[in-house]
Amino acid sequence: MTGVPSFLLVSICSALLLVAQLSRAATADQWRGRSIYQLIVDRYALPQGADLDACDPGQQTWCGGTWKTVMDNLDYIQNAGFTAIWISPVSQNYQGPRTPYGDPYHGYWIADATQLNDKFGTADDLKALSDEIHRRGMYLMVDVVVNNVMALTTDPDLSTFLFKDKSLYHPYCPVDYSNLTSEQQCWLGDLNVTLPDVKTEDPTVISTYGNWIQSLVQQFNIDGLRIDEPIHYFRHVDMPFWPAFCGSAGVFCMGEVFEGGAADVGPWQGNQSMDSVLNYPMYTALTEALTIPGPQNMTAVADMIAQSKQYFTDPTVLGNFIENQDVPRWLNMSVDPQSLYNAMVFNFMSDGIPIVYYGQEQGAHGASDPYNREPLWPSGYANTTTYQLVTKLNTFRNFLVNTTDWATTPMQVLTSSPNATAILKGKIVSVVTNIGSPPANLSVPVYTPWKQSDILTEIISCDQYSVGSNGTIQMQYSKGGEAAVFINNDDIQGAGVCGYAGVVGSTGSTISKAANGAAASVSVSRFSTVLFGLALAFVFFFVSF
Ligand SMILES: *[C@@H]1O[C@H](CO)[C@@H](O)[C@H](O)[C@H]1NC(C)=O
Ligand SMILES: *[C@@H]1O[C@H](CO)[C@@H](O)[C@H](O)[C@H]1NC(C)=O
Ligand SMILES: *[C@@H]1O[C@H](CO)[C@@H](O)[C@H](O)[C@H]1NC(C)=O
Ligand SMILES: *[C@@H]1O[C@H](CO)[C@@H](O)[C@H](O)[C@H]1NC(C)=O
Ligand SMILES: *[C@@H]1O[C@H](CO)[C@@H](O)[C@H](O)[C@H]1NC(C)=O
Ligand SMILES: *[C@@H]1O[C@H](CO)[C@@H](O)[C@H](O)[C@H]1NC(C)=O
Ligand SMILES: *[C@@H]1O[C@H](CO)[C@@H](O)[C@H](O)[C@H]1NC(C)=O
Ligand SMILES: *[C@@H]1O[C@H](CO)[C@@H](O)[C@H](O)[C@H]1NC(C)=O
Ligand SMILES: *[C@@H]1O[C@H](CO)[C@@H](O)[C@H](O)[C@H]1NC(C)=O
Ligand SMILES: *[C@@H]1O[C@H](CO)[C@@H](O)[C@H](O)[C@H]1NC(C)=O
């Protein structure tokens, strides 16, 4: 008797697989090994036939990117080896006349969070983008703003907002940044564009936002949230909002805490708040150490590594970045390309989830907002030196993540000298330097755990090194200050770089696709194996009786 049971088997399996699919919820553990490409939907890609010269970031208005144009141009991101994409906010924005600060092309001027922003497409378009990202084995992270809405006055018409009752907002007062009480209670923005502050401690606000984020995450299969300014006003006061909000979302949350110090930012990571925060403290240290011109204070990096261990619950899931929509492009602050490459190598090879802000791989060099939101299309999506560096770093990191416990192993400082810092993470040694492109008559010894005469490959140059006595590698900078990433040749099979084939294929993209797919399907396939077992047991039950 096979007809009925096999029919049952098929339908039970598909129903349960559907459940598995619906309940896809990526955790901090699953995000740790990912690498993120951050993009502003309006600025990433244009539809076919649009004018490629019409976008001036200084104009602060829409340039024409949509969820569909992002979807149609995912190869560029996937071929560089990224395993996740962070998109700018999807909620409906202010829809009135142009303001002194332009139009909300960036998506951060929220009106009603529960509606989608029709400037960027329909619900079907967003769903299609999400499906396509998942089909490629990548994760989707969506930017959300819950702290405030946007208005033009201090007494706005609340009817266009999700919360229509005045009691659900803090009363207006101008923020005075020298006064903590004021910072905790007043409105962001200024009198041109006010940002009415939602009372995130109010039970109605908490439950309404909770229901919304749960349904948004489920409807669009979102794998993670990036949370805009979770603290600006309420700092420590408002922390209890986040466990409830991120609990409702059921996915990884990474918040923006726009401060320089690890002691200030650290408390925002953990059960009392959220999974992760953007690594502003390390960003600050990297600018101090590596920008040219700049203070070139290399001590800042080793010092911040020590502070991160002290103040963060888990540095391995922090969001590492050197550019975003709020800070100047790295190349706007630092004119030497080696400075950029060294900072990027550090972000990929140290503890944390590397984030590349769209355009960084194309040498974008705009100043702060709005000049750091350049359109990407004038670059022609070229295979630049920086794009190739990103591809190599992603390929190598995906290999380490996929085949070793590298991602969960905390980094440690091997050498901190005035011109070079060396770190060990897992079995990889990385050395970054502040000397820039010109050759320097400088030699820095790095003491490693490797044995004398071990042969290493340095994956940026693909040069071979032999380990000296006492485990020493001599860094020589006679060709300029390239970053270096060393792996022992005993461990390199499958790395997919420097002529070593990847486990599955021989090109960067093939390898990273495989790595993504494998990583992305783990939880679902385990779950479906269990369910398949259950279904079999069920069938057995029917057959036996
Ligand atoms: C600080 O800000 C609060 C709230 O706006 C205000 O009541 C208080 O007077 C301010 N304190 C000082 C010293 O300005
Ligand atoms: C409003 O915007 C204008 C134009 O950018 C600027 O000159 C003015 O200072 C702004 N007003 C306030 C209150 O910030
Ligand atoms: C956070 O909560 C999880 C699950 O309840 C628990 O296992 C973990 O120990 C907690 N972490 C801290 C730092 O309290
Ligand atoms: C360099 O950074 C260290 C650690 O952050 C700091 O203690 C020191 O004062 C800085 N040195 C200079 C010259 O700024
Ligand atoms: C920094 O950005 C501004 C505005 O986008 C631009 O005028 C300037 O040339 C940039 N500087 C560098 C070094 O790229
Ligand atoms: C970029 O160029 C490098 C070096 O020529 C090549 O190996 C790589 O496949 C290219 N990548 C893409 C996506 O075309
Ligand atoms: C080494 O770093 C110092 C700052 O600590 C800087 O002044 C010097 O120029 C650097 N050396 C080279 C060769 O770049
Ligand atoms: C490089 O530095 C060493 C030691 O500081 C010195 O003896 C040597 O002459 C220098 N070489 C050149 C080419 O400047
Ligand atoms: C040997 O390596 C250690 C660090 O591992 C270092 O402190 C020591 O100075 C080195 N000794 C020599 C002789 O280079
Ligand atoms: C990644 O790991 C999975 C499972 O361990 C394996 O099947 C796959 O071949 C690996 N891919 C790469 C590129 O290492």
Side-chain angles (χ1 to χ4, degrees):
M1 286 315 303
T2 54
V4 171
S6 64
F7 167 75
L8 263 183
L9 178 71
V10 168
S11 50
I12 290 169
C13 281
S14 13
L16 295 179
L17 275 173
L18 187 64
V19 171
Q21 186 117 51
L22 288 177
S23 60
R24 171 209 302 273
T27 61
D29 266 345
Q30 290 168 302
W31 273 91
R32 183 183 287 107
R34 299 269 155 170
S35 72
I36 303 175
Y37 189 78
Q38 177 197 353
L39 62 85
I40 293 182
V41 170
D42 184 64
R43 300 294 161 89
Y44 176 69
L46 282 181
Q48 291 282 319
D51 180 354
L52 297 179
D53 300 319
C55 181
D56 171 3
Q59 289 297 309
Q60 298 177 286
T61 193
W62 294 280
C63 288
T66 64
W67 297 319
K68 169 131 184 24
T69 64
V70 173
M71 184 181 85
D72 291 342
N73 291 277
L74 290 175
D75 283 352
Y76 174 74
I77 301 173
Q78 190 180 13
N79 288 343
F82 289 99
T83 49
I85 301 180
W86 152 12
I87 63 171
S88 50
V90 300
S91 290
Q92 187 195 77
N93 271 222
Y94 163 78
Q95 293 180 313
R98 186 175 159 82
T99 79
Y101 308 135
D103 296 307
Y105 65 92
H106 41 71
Y108 292 98
W109 287 352
I110 303 300
D112 181 347
T114 63
Q115 306 297 310
L116 288 182
N117 190 335
D118 57 12
K119 276 279 174 191
F120 302 130
T122 62
D124 285 347
D125 293 340
L126 184 55
K127 186 66 172 55
L129 171 60
S130 170
D131 288 349
E132 183 56 22
I133 286 173
H134 291 127
R135 194 187 65 76
R136 292 164 181 261
M138 294 190 277
Y139 278 173
L140 171 63
M141 173 175 277
V142 171
D143 208 323
V144 296
V145 185
V146 296
N147 232 30
N148 54 261
V149 289
M150 179 275 193
L152 299 179
T153 73
T154 57
D155 188 20
D157 168 11
L158 302 178
S159 68
T160 57
F161 299 148
L162 171 59
F163 300 110
K164 304 187 195 309
D165 186 332
K166 205 166 184 169
S167 70
L168 300 178
Y169 298 86
H170 291 105
Y172 171 78
C173 54
V175 65
D176 166 6
Y177 289 97
S178 65
N179 172 347
L180 182 61
T181 318
S182 162
E183 247 194 280
Q184 288 172 339
Q185 296 182 350
C186 296
W187 291 13
L188 263 182
D190 59 25
L191 292 176
N192 283 326
V193 170
T194 63
L195 300 173
D197 200 63
V198 178
K199 247 187 204 169
T200 39
E201 71 275 27
D202 184 285
T204 305
V205 170
I206 294 175
S207 68
T208 307
Y209 269 148
N211 292 339
W212 161 63
I213 200 64
Q214 184 172 37
S215 71
L216 184 81
V217 162
Q218 284 176 2
Q219 187 182 356
F220 298 104
N221 261 323
I222 295 165
D223 304 289
L225 300 176
R226 179 272 184 187
I227 295 170
D228 194 57
E229 307 216 57
I231 57 155
H232 221 101
Y233 290 110
F234 296 97
R235 293 182 178 233
H236 310 275
V237 181
D238 205 26
M239 226 176 241
F241 178 80
W242 300 110
F245 183 79
C246 294
S248 300
V251 293
F252 179 65
C253 280
M254 187 174 74
E256 170 197 29
V257 182
F258 205 112
E259 305 237 11
D264 298 319
V265 180
W268 290 88
Q269 184 192 37
N271 288 349
Q272 73 292 349
S273 178
M274 57 182 87
D275 297 313
S276 167
V277 291
L278 286 161
N279 203 346
Y280 267 97
M282 192 59 83
Y283 164 74
T284 305
L286 291 175
T287 57
E288 253 188 76
L290 299 178
T291 53
I292 301 173
Q296 298 207 282
N297 184 2
M298 278 304 265
T299 317
V301 173
D303 185 54
M304 193 53 75
I305 291 174
Q307 286 194 40
S308 297
K309 290 178 191 294
Q310 184 182 349
Y311 292 110
F312 287 105
T313 326
D314 184 0
T316 67
V317 294
L318 298 177
N320 293 345
F321 67 94
I322 54 169
E323 295 184 358
N324 63 35
Q325 76 285 5
D326 293 325
V327 299
R329 295 284 189 176
W330 188 270
L331 290 179
N332 199 267
M333 304 184 295
S334 186
V335 294
D336 190 310
Q338 280 302 343
S339 149
L340 174 71
Y341 303 153
N342 275 273
M344 286 172 61
V345 164
F346 186 84
N347 272 356
F348 273 84
M349 300 316 299
S350 60
D351 288 354
I353 303 170
I355 302 170
V356 172
Y357 178 54
Y358 85 100
Q360 184 178 315
E361 74 287 0
Q362 293 292 341
H365 56 100
S368 305
D369 173 11
Y371 303 101
N372 52 4
R373 299 154 180 208
E374 305 94 324
L376 185 57
W377 44 89
S379 70
Y381 307 90
N383 189 358
T384 58
T385 307
T386 315
Y387 184 91
Q388 288 170 36
L389 176 65
V390 170
T391 309
K392 181 179 266 188
L393 291 170
N394 268 325
T395 304
F396 187 61
R397 186 175 178 280
N398 289 341
F399 156 73
L400 297 172
V401 163
N402 203 27
T403 60
T404 72
D405 60 1
W406 178 86
T408 50
T409 309
M411 63 176 151
Q412 59 188 86
V413 176
L414 291 179
T415 305
S416 179
S417 76
N419 297 97
T421 299
I423 58 166
L424 172 71
K425 181 170 169 63
K427 292 162 83 178
I428 306 300
V429 172
S430 304
V431 190
V432 294
T433 172
N434 64 2
I435 71 178
S437 299
N441 180 15
L442 191 72
S443 171
V444 178
V446 172
Y447 303 108
T448 75
W450 285 310
K451 296 191 305 293
Q452 182 168 359
S453 307
D454 276 2
I455 305 297
L456 314 176
T457 297
E458 192 290 292
I459 70 135
I460 307 296
S461 61
C462 295
D463 289 344
Q464 304 286 300
Y465 281 68
S466 174
V467 177
S469 62
N470 198 21
T472 311
I473 311 171
Q474 277 299 335
M475 298 304 301
Q476 302 283 355
Y477 292 112
S478 58
K479 291 183 190 155
E482 270 202 0
V485 177
F486 295 99
I487 181 170
N488 195 307
N489 280 3
D490 290 346
D491 302 323
I492 201 172
Q493 290 306 327
V497 297
C498 299
Y500 290 88
V503 169
V504 174
S506 56
T507 69
S509 57
T510 312
I511 287 158
S512 56
K513 255 181 222 162
N516 301 345
S521 61
V522 165
S523 60
V524 171
S525 63
R526 268 193 208 138
F527 189 21
S528 21
T529 307
V530 171
L531 296 173
F532 187 74
L534 281 177
L536 274 182
F538 206 64
V539 167
F540 185 65
F541 181 87
F542 266 88
V543 171
S544 324
F545 294 85

